[in-house]
């Protein structure tokens, strides 16, 4: 759960990161950045700001903005019925982006969120430069983290059904609850 | 047919447009911008520079760079067998981009290439601002033209099989032939 104030701050931070990256957003887009805490209630450590640019039955394009050191929790895109599962290419745009995938543990720049070591099992670190990209096929476990400057990246994928993503952390709830605590 | 010199000039112009738009390209990407004259031999009037960022069995992401007043000829994406046809969203990034679709004729900013009036039949003009986007469903006839500043746009689509695109102009050949005439 996040408060409305947290949601507003995170949206503003995401818009700032995206515009600082030189990308252009329409006014209506600035107002609909999704703030996701993944139900973990610790948005600065674990979460993401996501702006959906295209979402059809066949494909999805999103901008992902991460605030400094924010980790997008480890997950994968499973097969669902006849659907082979979401295929996703993440293209880094600006800031520091660390991607963790299966392979020999090389984590050095990133920091697993405190007390969550067992929930971030992929420790092979890819440090992306702007323009670098990585494709995840269905079933590939992965997580992301921004470095000290935050990060902005595109996600190009087959149609996104976020609620079907599977997370290593059983406490993850993909739908973020916003409390009106500060009204 | 274009010459190698034309190809090099068009690639350089495309890279300049893309970088001036604030986008970041890797070195390997700068060298593989496709220059398409659509077999019409009049690249400055009819053609496109296309950089494929993602191309899998399921989706494609491309950057389209048009030089000033260059028109990307009228075409549509047909159904092919079990494939419902390519679905495409074009998102304008920088410069002047005019899009022509079915509807009442309103063309004012753009200019149909001379002598080709019967081959550019869609005359409903959409003047896109950076950040604006338009989705084309299979079968939708459309063509594009850059204004005086050229244009850069993303194309997000289901998997692209360019050779299956259908063009109003029967002389179009989707595979560009490059002559070594100036070597």
């Amino acid at each position: 759960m996040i408060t409305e104030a947290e949601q507003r701050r995170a949206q503003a931070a995401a818009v700032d990161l995206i515009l600082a990256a030189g990308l252009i957003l329409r006014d209506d887009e600035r107002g609909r950045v999704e703030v996701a805490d993944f139900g973990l209630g610790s948005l600065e450590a674990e979460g993401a700001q996501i702006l959906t640019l295209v979402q059809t039955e066949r494909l999805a394009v999103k901008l992902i903005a991460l605030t400094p050191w924010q980790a997008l929790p480890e997950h994968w895109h499973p097969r669902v019925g006849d659907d082979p599962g979401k295929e996703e290419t993440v293209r880094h745009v600006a800031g520091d982006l660390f991607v963790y995938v299966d392979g020999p543990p090389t984590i050095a720049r990133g920091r697993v969120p405190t007390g969550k070591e067992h929930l971030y099992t992929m420790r092979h670190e890819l440090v992306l430069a702007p323009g670098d990209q990585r494709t995840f096929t269905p079933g590939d476990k992965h997580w992301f983290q921004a470095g000290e400057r935050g990060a902005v990246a595109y996600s190009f994928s087959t149609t996104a059904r976020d609620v079907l993503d599977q997370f290593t952390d059983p406490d993850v709830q993909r739908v973020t609850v916003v409390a009106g605590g500060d009204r």
Side-chain angles (χ1 to χ4, degrees), chain A residues 24-102:
Chain A
I24 291 171
L25 298 180
R26 302 189 310 273
D27 288 345
D28 65 294
E29 291 174 328
R30 298 178 192 208
R32 60 176 173 76
V33 173
E34 177 202 1
V35 177
D37 79 337
F38 299 94
L40 302 174
S42 179
L43 183 64
E44 291 187 7
E46 297 177 283
Q49 292 65 236
I50 300 169
L51 175 61
T52 297
L53 302 179
V54 180
Q55 170 77 290
T56 75
E57 287 297 306
R58 299 173 72 190
L59 60 92
V61 178
K62 302 182 177 201
L63 277 170
I64 301 172
L66 301 178
T67 54
W69 302 109
Q70 195 177 36
L72 196 165
E74 182 173 286
H75 65 287
W76 64 99
H77 312 291
R79 296 178 175 271
V80 179
D82 289 341
D83 185 329
K86 187 171 96 166
E87 175 194 290
E88 178 181 30
T89 295
V90 169
R91 184 178 174 94
H92 185 34
V93 175
D96 308 301
L97 184 64
F98 314 133
V99 176
Y100 299 92
V101 296
D102 197 20

